Amino acid sequence: MKAAFLVAVLCTALLYTYTACTELTFMTMTGRLGPAFFPRIIGVLLVVSCLYNLVALARQPSADEAGVNGGRGDWPITAGIVGLSTAFVALLDVLGGPIAMVLFLFAALSLLNRDRLVQNLIISLLLPTGVHLLFGVWLKASIPQGLIPLPV
């Protein structure tokens, strides 16, 4: 099941990377970074990480998934992440990008990394702050502001 999922993500990542490389321009006419800069980086990183995980999965001894996690597998965690992702998208325009990212990351990390509350809090505060500064302030990209915009 993990291999099938990784292959599906790999195919999607390859299509995404192909589109980013063929449809979007890397540099603008003025010599500035174009709309393909970040999508190409993200696409290549997705492809590399999928390939790495497929190789790592092939090297693992096969385990009976029915015996893992009391027969439930990873479905409860997967359902939790899907629910959190849905809530994130729903709250993005209401709370704004940075606030919604902080809440999503903290909730997701609390689900996946239960024993490290301080680490989860630090990551969930620093990463969205960095994204806001990089895209919202430095690159002047459009980030959802929410009902109460953050000061820039």
Side-chain angles (χ1 to χ4, degrees), residues 29-89:
M29 298 288 253
T30 60
R32 295 178 57 133
L33 295 176
F37 181 72
F38 283 111
R40 287 183 184 182
I41 292 172
I42 291 169
V44 169
L45 289 175
L46 280 171
V47 170
V48 168
S49 67
C50 285
L51 290 173
Y52 172 79
N53 284 309
L54 278 170
V55 169
L57 187 64
R59 289 184 177 179
Q60 284 181 352
S62 62
D64 184 27
E65 285 189 346
V68 176
N69 201 7
R72 297 179 307 178
D74 294 327
W75 289 108
I77 293 174
T78 304
I81 295 296
V82 167
L84 288 172
S85 299
T86 304
F88 171 70
V89 171

Side-chain angles (χ1 to χ4, degrees), residues 75-138:
W75 289 108
I77 293 174
T78 304
I81 295 296
V82 167
L84 288 172
S85 299
T86 304
F88 171 70
V89 171
L91 293 174
L92 198 57
D93 285 330
V94 176
L95 299 176
I99 304 282
M101 281 189 272
V102 167
L103 294 175
F104 170 76
L105 276 175
F106 184 72
L109 287 172
S110 295
L111 181 66
L112 298 170
N113 196 17
R114 294 177 194 235
D115 297 334
R116 299 195 172 163
L117 180 65
V118 174
Q119 180 183 14
N120 295 346
L121 187 61
I122 291 170
I123 291 171
S124 64
L125 289 172
L126 290 181
L127 190 62
T129 301
V131 168
H132 175 69
L133 290 174
L134 174 66
F135 289 102
V137 177
W138 185 49

